[in-house]
Amino acid sequence: MSPWWRCKQEKETIVATVYADYTRDRTGLFFGLSGGQLITLVVAGAPALWAFQRQEWAAVVGLVLAWLVVLALVAIPIRGRSATGWLVASAAHLVGMTLRWSRWRSKAATGRGEDLAEPDLPGVVAGISVHDGPPQGPTNTRVAIIQDHPNRLWAATAAITHPGLALADSTERDAQARGLTALLNACARTELISEVLFLVRSVPEDGAERDQWLTRHQPATAPALAKAVNEQLAATLSQASVRTEAFCTIVVPEDRLAKEAKEFGRGVDARARAMAMLMAEVEAQLRTGMRIGTVTWLTSPQLAVAVRTGFAPGDRAGIVDALAARDAGVDVNAEVPWSQTGPSGADLAVRHYSHDAWHSISATLKLPAKGAVLGALAPVLVPTEPGERRSMVVVFPILAQSVADRQTQNAEWSADMAETLRSRAGVKTRAKDQTVIARTRGLDAKLATGNALIRPYAVACVTVPRTLRIAEFGRRLDASIRRAGFAPLRLDLAQDAGFAAANLPLGIGLDRKADQ
């Protein structure tokens, strides 16, 4: 799927900026079946044909029933996965529960913590390391460089400030959509960046900054009534307000970065310098095309705070107070050590994820057939009750040009083959299939004009304290996704991965492939 954006026009009036030019990753050859599925069904049906030829009717009945079971396991999708996939995932989860692999406890909680600079994180982020990059700018800021050892990836994260699209007209939305397309195409031309992630968290307002402002500006001789009014306003506004945090992360595979880093030397420092060049290019695209007002590449302490508040939203007030005390000259350690950025304990259930005193539920978003208006995801980020946090990540994996050309050719061949088989079998091609085939055939022309092939997906998450019913808030998250025009798909048996992707600005994705 590639982010080409277009404007629908009716009577010479621009209606909205719509994203609808996406296709399936794979087109089935024979009535929606892939080549592997077709071969599996043919092989499974061969014994039944052999028994039929020998007129062994009892064996024919048994083998046909067995073939139907294979058909259900291979070809019938259940909530986005095949039955075989569900069986494998369920068996793995059962084994993990039995052997207590699904339960995680931090080293600090068990008294084994030693190195404060070593990240101690659960699940899919267990292999993360954070390095300090080379000094940059007049202040010699050292940007944090994230290394994902299991996936052999490097990443860097920036905190961004965007005015939003609530008050933007169709012309402004279209301009920002073109800016996003320009950003992704520029990342593809670097031949280094494999993914661009945008993460947004709507966090309940804790009132930490307001309390500090009142402390600095409220005189000691103020009337008691005025103090009471200010305190009541602060409590009321904190419950009714949310604070938005946005991050942009770029991801580079190790095999690509290692070749580029040879110009800068060896080791982590060389890779950090190569990453710094990419960060400068991405920052220029963010500021110009996408109207990003502030782009601040996070240092290691700043990234540690972002990760800690991702696991525990309620810890932010204490961190803000510590930072204010340090700025006031008080001798206090305001930094969060990486060994304590994660939770003290985490447990993976089938339909939710528990981390310390919090519960989270994650779901992916299925793109609608009619397309989505730019900015339609806003309702997903609106909390429904005080204390609820909503977060979402939109991931843009960028395929290499050679891979994009090969996949486009295969998709066109599959679409032509499927259409031919339907025609010879006398099956009418439905309008939905005709639309998919037409979009597939149009990909080659768009790639030829210099556009990149992108496979975007989004993950939304809701986090609430353990004192609240997480199942109820999971249903509210699904309702918000449907209200935005999308279809929710709960990440059952993979809630830990969904939580990490949607809440932690570490460049975590759900679809990592070596050919990207």
Side-chain angles (χ1 to χ4, degrees):
M1 297 178 285
S2 182
W4 290 289
W5 306 84
R6 60 185 176 84
C7 291
K8 290 184 177 180
Q9 296 187 0
E10 297 180 1
K11 298 181 179 180
E12 299 181 356
T13 302
I14 297 179
V15 177
T17 303
V18 177
Y19 173 42
D21 208 359
Y22 41 80
T23 62
R24 297 175 181 173
D25 286 341
R26 297 178 182 86
T27 302
L29 294 174
F30 186 78
F31 297 103
L33 298 177
S34 64
Q37 292 174 325
L38 182 60
I39 293 174
T40 301
L41 293 177
V42 170
V43 172
L49 295 176
W50 177 79
F52 179 81
Q53 184 180 7
R54 301 192 59 176
Q55 298 183 357
E56 298 180 359
W57 308 118
V60 169
V61 173
L63 291 173
V64 168
L65 293 177
W67 183 84
L68 292 176
V69 172
V70 174
L71 175 65
L73 292 175
V74 172
I76 299 178
I78 303 173
R79 293 185 61 83
R81 306 183 199 174
S82 65
T84 304
W86 278 110
L87 288 176
V88 173
S90 300
H93 180 74
L94 180 61
V95 172
M97 291 287 292
T98 305
L99 300 178
R100 302 176 68 88
W101 291 344
S102 60
R103 297 186 61 187
W104 181 88
R105 296 297 178 265
S106 66
K107 295 179 180 179
T110 56
R112 295 181 291 111
E114 296 179 359
D115 188 2
L116 294 179
E118 179 183 358
D120 185 19
L121 302 173
V124 296
V125 290
I128 293 292
S129 296
V130 180
H131 310 280
D132 290 327
Q136 299 179 15
T139 58
N140 290 329
T141 303
R142 300 174 69 91
V143 176
I145 306 298
I146 306 164
Q147 183 180 8
D148 188 349
H149 293 277
N151 295 310
R152 293 177 55 81
L153 298 172
W154 296 79
T157 298
I160 59 178
T161 302
H162 190 273
L165 296 171
L167 300 179
D169 56 10
S170 57
T171 304
E172 178 63 21
R173 291 171 185 255
D174 184 52
Q176 294 196 28
R178 289 195 301 267
L180 175 59
T181 302
L183 168 67
L184 298 176
N185 288 333
C187 292
R189 287 191 294 270
T190 64
E191 298 182 353
L192 294 174
I193 300 175
S194 63
E195 289 182 359
V196 179
L197 299 87
F198 291 95
L199 189 150
V200 183
R201 301 191 303 209
S202 292
V203 186
E205 180 58 54
D206 49 30
E209 287 85 354
R210 180 178 176 84
D211 292 340
Q212 294 176 7
W213 188 90
L214 288 176
T215 302
R216 292 193 304 267
H217 294 82
Q218 185 171 262
T221 58
L225 179 60
K227 292 182 179 180
V229 170
N230 283 329
E231 292 175 358
Q232 293 176 4
L233 282 175
T236 303
L237 293 176
S238 297
Q239 293 181 358
S241 303
V242 295
R243 178 175 38 81
T244 303
E245 302 171 341
F247 304 92
C248 175
T249 304
I250 59 173
V251 178
V252 183
E254 161 65 20
D255 55 349
R256 302 183 191 180
L257 189 62
K259 298 177 182 178
E260 184 72 13
K262 291 181 179 179
E263 300 180 3
F264 302 95
R266 297 181 179 180
V268 175
D269 184 71
R271 288 164 173 75
R273 294 183 183 277
M275 288 288 295
M277 303 295 292
L278 296 175
M279 289 187 287
E281 292 187 42
V282 171
E283 181 175 349
Q285 293 288 340
L286 291 173
R287 291 182 180 275
T288 55
M290 297 187 64
R291 311 292 199 271
I292 303 295
T294 304
V295 180
T296 304
W297 295 99
L298 300 182
T299 62
S300 182
Q302 293 171 338
L303 183 62
V305 171
V307 172
R308 180 56 192 165
T309 54
F311 280 106
D315 287 4
R316 180 183 175 275
I319 296 173
V320 171
D321 292 339
L323 291 172
R326 186 187 62 181
D327 295 340
V330 180
D331 187 11
V332 60
N333 184 8
E335 296 184 358
V336 178
W338 273 104
S339 62
Q340 299 177 14
T341 53
S344 59
D347 297 280
L348 174 61
V350 175
R351 307 213 72 190
H352 72 274
Y353 182 57
S354 299
H355 45 100
D356 283 347
W358 307 84
H359 282 318
S360 295
I361 283 182
S362 302
T364 57
L365 281 66
K366 297 176 62 177
L367 291 168
K370 63 181 180 181
V373 179
L374 186 66
L377 292 173
V380 181
L381 292 169
V382 179
T384 57
E385 282 192 12
E388 175 188 3
R389 183 185 69 184
R390 293 286 184 91
S391 58
M392 182 176 59
V393 63
V394 181
V395 186
F396 295 95
I398 304 172
L399 271 69
Q401 188 65 32
S402 59
V403 177
D405 292 336
R406 184 173 66 252
Q407 290 193 3
T408 301
Q409 292 176 3
N410 294 338
E412 284 187 285
W413 182 82
S414 299
D416 294 339
M417 180 65 69
E419 189 176 26
T420 302
L421 290 175
R422 287 192 182 96
S423 177
R424 292 186 177 181
V427 178
K428 182 180 179 180
T429 303
R430 300 176 58 190
K432 179 180 178 180
D433 297 326
Q434 290 177 354
T435 303
V436 172
I437 292 173
R439 290 177 177 175
T440 301
R441 291 171 176 169
L443 281 179
D444 188 44
K446 294 171 182 177
L447 287 175
T449 58
N451 291 285
L453 185 61
I454 316 294
R455 304 168 65 180
Y457 61 92
V459 183
C461 180
V462 57
T463 301
V464 296
R466 285 198 179 191
T467 55
L468 301 178
R469 289 177 54 85
I470 184 59
E472 174 64 25
F473 286 90
R475 288 190 289 268
R476 294 183 184 184
L477 175 64
D478 294 343
S480 298
I481 294 174
R482 288 190 289 266
R483 187 167 63 252
F486 300 81
L489 185 59
R490 190 76 62 85
L491 288 174
D492 294 338
L493 300 174
Q495 288 291 328
D496 57 340
F499 170 84
N503 290 278
L504 308 181
L506 296 174
I508 304 299
L510 300 182
D511 185 21
R512 291 283 165 78
K513 296 185 179 180
D515 57 358
Q516 291 181 1

